[in-house]
Amino acid sequence: WSSDVCSSDLDSMAQVNKETTIGELLMTSGDKIEDVARALMEIGMHCIGCPSSQGESIEEAAMVHGIDADLLTEKLNAILNA
């Protein structure tokens, strides 16, 4: 296991956390944006395009919608790294 392999593996994996804003999430989703948007809409986050939601963190959005932020973050990371 060389450090080069570890670094390149980590660099290629997209990661979000609870502090990531909805705007950052959508801007960095790349070709996964439709999957990410669909996942958010399926759990009731229908306002992902609203200007005010863009500055909200994943944790804040989850709280407003009564969703566990850790589970949501895991789901989003699974989608981004699929």
Side-chain angles (χ1 to χ4, degrees):
W1 234 53
S2 75
S3 61
D4 292 335
V5 172
C6 294
S7 308
S8 64
D9 287 347
L10 291 175
D11 291 343
S12 66
M13 292 183 67
Q15 290 290 308
V16 295
N17 59 53
K18 294 186 295 188
E19 288 77 37
T20 303
T21 66
I22 300 298
E24 291 168 335
L25 170 65
L26 295 173
M27 293 289 292
T28 60
S29 295
D31 63 346
K32 304 285 185 169
I33 190 167
E34 287 183 20
D35 296 327
V36 167
R38 187 177 305 109
L40 294 174
M41 298 212 29
E42 284 174 355
I43 58 173
M45 293 185 183
H46 299 279
C47 59
I48 58 172
C50 298
S52 60
S53 73
Q54 300 303 298
E56 236 179 11
S57 70
I58 291 172
E59 184 172 37
E60 292 167 330
M63 183 179 62
V64 167
H65 292 279
I67 298 162
D68 183 296
D70 291 318
L71 292 177
L72 178 56
T73 302
E74 285 178 32
K75 180 176 184 170
L76 292 170
N77 279 319
I79 291 168
L80 292 171
N81 293 302

